[in-house]
Amino acid sequence: MIPGRDQDRVIIFDTTMRDGEQSPGASMNLEEKLRIAAVLEELGVDVIEAGFPIASNGDFEAVKAIAGRAREAAIAGLARASRKDIDRAWEALSRAQRPRIHTFLSTSPLHMKFKLQMEPEAVHQAIADSVSHARKLCDDVEWSAEDGSRTEHDFLCRCVETAIKCGAGTINIPDTVGYAVPEEFGALIRMLMNRVPNIDKAVVSVHCHNDLGLAVANSLAAVGAGARQVECTINGLGERAGNAALEEIVMALRTRQDAMPQKTGIRTEIITKASRLVSTVTGFPVQPNKAIVGANAFAHESGIHQDGMLKHAGTYEIMTPESIGLGRSSLVMGKHSGRHAFKAKLKELGFELGDNAIEEAFRRFKDLADKKKDVFDEDLVALVDDQVVRSNEHIRFVSLQVFAGSKGPQRADLELEIGGETKSTTATGDGPVDATFKAIKQLFPHEAHLQLYQVQAVTAGTDAQAEVTVRLEENGKTVNGQGADTDTLVASCKAYLHALNKLLTKRRKTAPAALSA
Ligand code: KIV
Ligand code: ZN
């Protein structure tokens, strides 16, 4: 028990940008990570794991930039148990108000023998060395026993005791492969609380993967047994089947205070915003029946349920939609709304834009209001997101005319501005989307492969804006592009161009000579 700590307060450690980014296809660029970090701070996350600084220059720069901007949250960077990793993590983190070095090493017999090819004694020594080294650099050190749930208890207790002795203030027990079941995992945490002599000097944390769909249940069982930090991700993003979903952990604790008295510091009304941002940036849609943030989580279809809801919302709703920030879509403004009201609305939605960007957004809002009868908050968010995404692009969308329908071939007449020069072409294809993408390829030849094409409506109704995600792969690198427009094909074209522009940025960073396409 750490003196002065509220014993019921659970620390929320978000690893969307580290473990979450390890999901194949979920890579995020610096600008996207900064936007996610800002929303995580607004959400009230206690610790943001911003990346794995030694993994790549991109990760290093992202951790450094987030560390420099974060105001409230502690910023963690991951490091293996080596001096080189730990020094690099510290280099990225040192500007943070509250830096945390998170170092880890596998402790299970399987991992030690086959992955590390190290004897247990050598592992134990490496834990002492790495934690001591990290602690010389940073006051806040977390140590994780990778594959902790499959580690022999005596050895785990010894490693944990040593890590605490060497200065780790947080001890994290991961269920790395999502193998544990709740009763057993809770018992493991209880065993550590009872057997490790200096456990009262550290916060016990858990990090559960969802391979058996038990990540949230295991995390909550651990909290019941004394864990006071939970590592989790927005929308449950993460390696393989993902990590415990932040929104599920937080809302379970909030909704069932009668059964679980522990609480978090999360501003739950920001959950929907965070979920949508992560889904848009990664191109990973949220399944409609996903707990808390799925599109159907607060929808009532059957007549009996609707009747019950009209009589008393509590009949079929255990949480209010407002509690997760899912207010009724509010009508924003129409085409007669003025600049002043528009500016105020953007501020309310959390956008701080410069004068030029506001002018541009206002002009685009007027265009949208001409095309679409009702403009909702979600439309404005999509519009501004689209604008932010498109600034500084090498390849810019100018116009698109598509001939579609049952009497093919479908044709796309496309005009783009490439490096300041306007170019146009016509292409035919197997459907209007194919024709559009082929036209892009004619104007800007490239070898990237399309891995994902996904369309979502921003709001209800046939005049809704379409939000399109395109994932492109080139030489093992994947990027996601987004585009929004009332015309699905224009949105598709913009999303493809956004992804292509991101690939160009990546190429520019790695091989300047390869830029001529
Ligand atoms: O799953 C895991 O074990 C991890 C550790 C690095 C914390 O992600
Ligand atoms: Zn993990």
Side-chain angles (χ1 to χ4, degrees):
M1 203 175 288
I2 295 178
R5 253 205 107 242
D6 175 352
Q7 292 314 308
D8 282 337
R9 174 72 156 74
V10 175
I11 295 166
I12 295 294
F13 176 117
D14 178 278
T15 184
T16 306
M17 291 189 283
R18 200 278 297 167
D19 211 314
E21 208 205 13
Q22 286 171 216
S23 321
S27 67
M28 308 163 197
N29 65 23
L30 176 61
E31 183 255 318
E32 290 165 341
K33 283 191 171 181
L34 286 171
R35 286 170 69 202
I36 291 179
V39 173
L40 292 177
E41 280 223 285
E42 196 182 344
L43 188 61
V45 159
D46 300 289
V47 188
I48 298 174
E49 187 162 52
F52 193 173
I54 200 142
S56 70
N57 285 341
D59 252 42
F60 177 84
E61 293 303 337
V63 176
K64 192 170 170 184
I66 293 167
R69 288 192 193 191
R71 279 167 293 203
E72 302 280 329
I75 304 300
L78 190 66
R80 286 167 299 188
S82 82
R83 278 180 177 247
K84 211 166 148 212
D85 269 48
I86 293 167
D87 291 346
R88 187 74 172 147
W90 179 241
E91 209 184 323
L93 290 165
S94 54
R95 288 196 304 161
Q97 308 261 358
R98 298 175 54 211
R100 172 180 291 192
I101 296 177
H102 177 192
T103 184
F104 70 100
L105 192 59
S106 292
T107 49
S108 68
L110 199 68
H111 276 220
M112 289 191 292
K113 183 164 180 201
F114 294 103
K115 187 181 116 168
L116 302 177
Q117 298 181 338
M118 280 167 82
E119 292 299 322
E121 277 321 302
V123 167
H124 182 257
Q125 188 58 48
I127 294 165
D129 293 345
S130 54
V131 173
S132 305
H133 182 62
R135 192 65 177 75
K136 276 188 207 133
L137 303 171
C138 184
D139 286 344
D140 186 355
V141 173
E142 170 170 338
W143 177 72
S144 285
E146 191 183 0
D147 208 17
S149 57
R150 293 193 298 173
T151 297
E152 284 170 350
H153 288 191
D154 287 352
F155 187 60
L156 187 61
C157 287
R158 228 180 117 215
C159 292
V160 168
E161 186 182 351
T162 298
I164 298 172
K165 236 184 233 160
C166 294
T170 302
I171 294 294
N172 184 39
I173 308 297
D175 180 27
T176 301
V177 289
Y179 181 73
V181 294
E183 209 174 311
E184 167 196 57
F185 196 60
L188 176 69
I189 300 303
R190 203 166 292 113
M191 181 281 294
L192 289 171
M193 303 301 281
N194 290 334
R195 285 186 49 193
V196 176
N198 54 359
I199 200 75
D200 58 328
K201 309 235 169 359
V203 171
V204 174
S205 165
V206 288
H207 173 114
C208 297
H209 278 271
N210 207 27
D211 300 66
L212 293 173
L214 293 170
V216 169
N218 284 335
S219 304
L220 292 174
V223 168
R228 286 296 176 267
Q229 174 176 287
V230 174
E231 302 198 353
C232 44
T233 56
I234 303 289
N235 298 339
L237 208 65
E239 283 267 12
R240 305 182 310 279
N243 289 70
L246 178 148
E247 61 279 6
E248 296 178 22
I249 300 278
V250 168
M251 290 311 286
L253 288 175
R254 177 177 154 151
T255 308
R256 292 305 311 274
Q257 281 286 289
D258 56 328
M260 298 175 285
Q262 297 80 18
K263 52 190 181 294
T264 72
I266 294 295
R267 293 172 205 108
T268 60
E269 321 76 59
I270 310 296
I271 283 178
T272 299
K273 182 176 175 181
S275 165
R276 285 186 182 160
L277 177 64
V278 169
S279 171
T280 303
V281 162
T282 57
F284 282 33
V286 174
Q287 73 189 62
N289 57 329
K290 159 94 175 58
I292 318 294
V293 289
N296 291 350
F298 291 90
H300 304 278
E301 185 67 25
S302 93
I304 296 172
H305 286 208
Q306 284 177 355
D307 182 55
M309 283 294 293
L310 287 173
K311 289 175 176 146
H312 191 292
T315 51
Y316 289 103
E317 262 178 17
I318 57 168
M319 305 161 266
T320 65
E322 291 77 19
S323 65
I324 59 147
L326 193 68
R328 295 257 160 269
S329 264
S330 59
L331 196 55
V332 181
M333 292 164 284
K335 57 182 166 186
H336 302 297
S337 309
R339 226 178 230 88
H340 192 70
F342 178 74
K343 227 168 144 175
K345 189 72 198 178
L346 286 191
K347 202 159 178 212
E348 186 191 313
L349 291 172
F351 292 107
E352 301 279 351
L353 302 182
D355 289 346
N356 289 346
I358 287 188
E359 270 314 302
E360 164 77 3
F362 187 62
R363 190 188 57 68
R364 298 180 69 220
F365 157 68
K366 288 284 181 178
D367 284 350
L368 181 64
D370 272 340
K371 289 190 218 156
K372 192 173 186 294
K373 201 166 107 261
D374 300 325
V375 178
F376 297 97
D377 283 358
E378 292 89 330
D379 288 312
L380 275 193
V381 172
L383 182 145
V384 179
D385 273 352
D386 193 64
Q387 180 177 321
V388 171
V389 145
R390 241 149 283 291
S391 53
N392 302 320
E393 284 192 338
H394 179 70
I395 313 168
R396 285 171 178 268
F397 174 83
V398 178
S399 72
L400 175 70
Q401 201 65 44
V402 178
F403 299 89
S406 56
K407 291 187 189 153
Q410 288 77 21
R411 197 183 91 215
D413 295 347
L414 177 67
E415 206 180 340
L416 299 179
E417 194 190 292
I418 303 176
E421 193 188 330
T422 305
K423 295 184 176 183
S424 56
T425 194
T426 294
T428 53
D430 198 0
V433 177
D434 189 46
T436 304
F437 290 178
K438 280 194 172 131
I440 297 175
K441 216 163 190 170
Q442 281 178 16
L443 291 179
F444 191 84
H446 57 274
E447 297 299 323
H449 302 286
L450 180 68
Q451 284 199 326
L452 174 103
Y453 169 69
Q454 178 186 294
V455 185
Q456 270 178 312
V458 173
T459 54
T462 49
D463 65 352
Q465 285 195 89
E467 198 164 48
V468 175
T469 302
V470 160
R471 182 175 302 149
L472 296 180
E473 184 271 336
E474 184 188 66
N475 298 329
K477 293 191 182 98
T478 55
V479 289
N480 293 311
Q482 291 88 32
D485 200 279
T486 46
D487 186 312
T488 308
L489 294 166
V490 172
S492 305
C493 182
K494 286 180 170 179
Y496 196 105
L497 295 178
H498 181 220
L500 210 48
N501 277 302
K502 279 187 171 178
L503 272 183
L504 285 184
T505 312
K506 273 196 184 237
R507 276 199 226 163
R508 225 176 263 140
K509 280 183 183 156
T510 47
L515 244 179
S516 57

